[in-house]
């Protein structure tokens, strides 16, 4: 994994306060997404990456954890609501936004882009 619990909590100052096992699961899932978005380049070149690239990737992983946990302020979109007698449903269709397709969130996507290891979209 690119990030451990200690880095997430102490360096990144992550907001996820759930159980250790759930946080490990989110971290693993986020690392898998990074590997997919970088087509394995991150893992294959880890030792040769600059400090900026490593820190950027770690931050992207942490942002994904926050996104998965609904702590990024944008992942928990309203699907329906009621006002008096009126009820509205948001019909989710195919998203054209690559960060939605990847399931990682806008902030994580743009942060990972700065590493220079992404190419193409999922």
């Amino acid at each position: 994994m690119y990030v451990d619990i200690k880095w997430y909590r102490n360096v990144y100052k992550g907001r996820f306060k759930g159980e250790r096992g759930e946080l490990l699961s989110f971290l693993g899932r986020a690392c898998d997404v990074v590997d997919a978005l970088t087509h394995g380049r991150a893992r294959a070149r880890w030792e040769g990456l600059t400090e900026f690239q490593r820190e950027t990737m770690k931050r992207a992983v942490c942002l994904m954890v926050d996104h998965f946990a609904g702590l990024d302020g944008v992942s928990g979109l309203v699907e329906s609501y009621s006002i008096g007698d009126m009820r509205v449903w948001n019909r989710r269709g195919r998203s054209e936004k690559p960060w939605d397709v990847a399931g990682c969130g806008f902030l994580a996507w743009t942060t990972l882009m700065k590493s220079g290891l992404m190419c193409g979209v999922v």
Side-chain angles (χ1 to χ4, degrees):
M1 280 200 289
Y2 302 114
V3 176
D4 59 16
I5 290 176
K6 186 176 177 182
W7 203 93
Y8 175 81
R9 290 191 172 147
N10 299 330
V11 177
Y12 173 73
K13 306 287 187 207
R15 296 182 298 155
F16 180 75
K17 304 297 183 207
E19 294 182 25
R20 177 181 169 83
E22 190 174 12
L23 178 53
L24 281 172
S25 176
F26 282 150
L27 286 168
R29 184 171 147 199
C31 290
D32 289 344
V33 172
V34 166
D35 286 340
L37 293 175
T38 64
H39 301 276
R41 282 185 286 282
R43 189 165 306 282
R45 300 179 189 168
W46 184 254
E47 295 304 319
L49 297 180
T50 66
E51 189 61 28
F52 173 79
Q53 287 175 311
R54 288 183 190 175
E55 292 295 316
T56 300
M57 288 179 45
K58 288 179 180 182
R59 183 165 165 70
V61 167
C62 293
L63 286 164
M64 284 183 212
V65 168
D66 289 350
H67 177 76
F68 298 154
L71 300 171
D72 63 354
V74 294
S75 61
L77 300 174
V78 174
E79 292 200 41
S80 67
Y81 61 91
S82 298
I83 302 173
D85 293 336
M86 183 179 71
R87 186 165 296 191
V88 177
W89 286 275
N90 178 16
R91 188 168 171 232
R92 290 183 184 241
R94 180 185 160 115
S95 174
E96 300 301 321
K97 298 175 186 128
W99 50 88
D100 287 338
V101 173
C104 67
F106 174 74
L107 296 174
W109 179 273
T110 56
T111 299
L112 187 58
M113 281 181 62
K114 291 189 280 186
S115 73
L117 296 168
M118 289 176 61
C119 69
V121 293
V122 179

